[in-house]
Amino acid sequence: MLNFEELKSFLDEKADQYNAPDFIENDPIQIPHRFSLKQDIEIAGFLAATISWGNRKSIIRSAEKMLDIMGNSPYDFVQNYSEKDLGSLQDKSIHRTFNGQDFAYFIKQFNRIYKENESLESWFIIKEPEINFLHAIERFRSNFLESEKHRSHKHVSSPYKNSSAKRIIMFLRWMIRKDKRGVDFGIWENIDQKYLSIPLDVHTGNISRKLGLVSRTQNDWKTVEELDVAIRKMDENDPAKYDFALFGLGVTKELL
């Protein structure tokens, strides 16, 4: 077991190692990196994050399938699709349980959002005295999904139901974190990155336990908050940078 200073030094080193442009090549974040328009980045990023479970190569292929359907212009497609366009999606396979019906539903919701808002950012604003995205994600979820029941609701996780909301937390890191490494976008100006958490999955959860950062055995929202406490002691202004360290250590199996 490392003491606090040794552990911080180790994780700082690993975060520095993996938070580099070559990280983009094999990660779903490469999908929004194909765009420069803010709304294209948001839509491509949210869709890529939404299907981010399983093999990363498979995730990237499935995200590329969605980009192809949208003519590689997500914002333009969301604004100008026809009912025929959406009808042709109904029987398509996209990625595992995320199918053409789900994709069509997301497109409709994006259309509604962007008629009222310039950016998705306004739906994730942190309010006083909130310390993380627990309530912001739920506000977004209720706005995005509305009240009508649809099969697509299962693809937007709820921390109120103790989900780690890994994919939304990852999307938020992409949009909010600001540094000069070129991996995260940092295009949202009105939300402080100090509120970000680590996207908790099998890799980051296992490494966090191995390093003594968390004691809970489940990868759920309560564990997200336990991990918040540990990583914010190391860097209260940019805690999510340690996602690079934990994820990198998990994928490379360096500690196993």
Side-chain angles (χ1 to χ4, degrees):
M1 290 293 292
L2 303 173
N3 65 35
F4 176 81
E5 290 302 329
E6 290 169 336
L7 180 56
K8 181 182 184 320
S9 177
F10 174 67
L11 291 178
D12 282 339
E13 178 188 331
K14 291 301 173 184
D16 184 65
Q17 177 183 337
Y18 292 112
N19 184 12
D22 60 4
F23 178 89
I24 296 170
E25 182 182 348
N26 298 311
D27 192 81
I29 200 173
Q30 68 156 267
I31 297 298
H33 265 290
R34 300 178 188 191
F35 302 97
S36 56
L37 183 70
K38 183 177 188 178
Q39 292 83 356
D40 281 337
I41 293 169
E42 291 179 345
I43 295 167
F46 191 82
L47 290 170
T50 296
I51 62 166
S52 285
W53 76 95
N55 178 277
R56 285 198 291 169
K57 288 182 180 178
S58 173
I59 293 164
I60 291 165
R61 282 197 302 271
S62 298
E64 287 174 334
K65 187 187 301 184
M66 289 192 282
L67 292 184
D68 286 342
I69 290 169
M70 295 187 289
N72 289 295
S73 298
Y75 185 49
D76 181 66
F77 185 85
V78 159
Q79 289 183 304
N80 300 301
Y81 67 84
S82 67
E83 288 305 315
K84 183 180 178 183
D85 290 329
L86 296 193
S88 68
L89 294 178
Q90 295 304 310
D91 299 321
K92 281 191 182 295
S93 169
I94 303 293
H95 183 77
R96 297 194 171 188
T97 61
F98 187 88
N99 63 20
Q101 291 179 48
D102 301 313
F103 187 25
Y105 180 85
F106 274 47
I107 288 167
K108 282 191 206 175
Q109 301 311 93
F110 281 131
N111 176 273
R112 179 175 57 82
I113 289 172
Y114 285 111
K115 281 180 178 173
E116 302 167 1
N117 303 273
E118 181 188 334
S119 166
L120 296 184
E121 179 180 13
S122 58
W123 284 26
F124 285 100
I125 296 295
I126 297 279
K127 298 180 179 179
E128 292 289 344
E130 295 168 5
I131 60 170
N132 59 31
F133 282 93
L134 169 67
H135 303 299
I137 290 173
E138 285 295 334
R139 287 192 292 269
F140 165 79
R141 191 174 188 274
S142 63
N143 284 325
F144 185 73
L145 298 176
E146 299 183 287
S147 57
E148 180 188 349
K149 289 295 180 187
H150 191 277
R151 58 160 279 127
S152 303
H153 287 208
K154 67 184 178 183
H155 292 298
V156 184
S157 299
S158 168
Y160 279 11
K161 297 176 182 176
N162 203 26
S163 167
S164 69
K166 172 247 177 176
R167 290 167 288 170
I168 297 178
I169 292 290
M170 182 174 71
F171 169 72
L172 291 172
R173 194 206 85 205
W174 294 354
M175 297 298 109
I176 295 168
R177 266 199 83 247
K178 298 173 177 66
D179 64 13
K180 297 176 181 177
R181 297 304 186 86
V183 181
D184 293 324
F185 291 91
I187 55 174
W188 288 1
E189 300 292 334
N190 301 305
I191 304 175
D192 197 312
Q193 64 187 16
K194 71 180 182 181
Y195 297 111
L196 289 170
S197 300
I198 300 285
L200 192 65
D201 61 10
V202 173
H203 292 305
T204 54
N206 287 345
I207 296 300
S208 295
R209 290 180 195 96
K210 198 169 188 71
L211 293 173
L213 294 169
V214 297
S215 57
R216 290 175 51 79
T217 57
Q218 304 94 326
N219 293 327
D220 58 17
W221 188 261
K222 290 178 181 175
T223 306
V224 170
E225 293 190 329
E226 184 184 4
L227 186 54
D228 277 349
V229 173
I231 61 171
R232 289 176 182 183
K233 287 176 182 172
M234 297 182 186
D235 191 334
E236 64 180 6
N237 296 314
D238 185 16
K241 74 180 182 187
Y242 294 111
D243 182 29
F244 291 101
L246 299 178
F247 182 79
L249 289 166
V251 168
T252 60
K253 298 181 169 54
E254 186 176 331
L255 295 182
L256 300 180

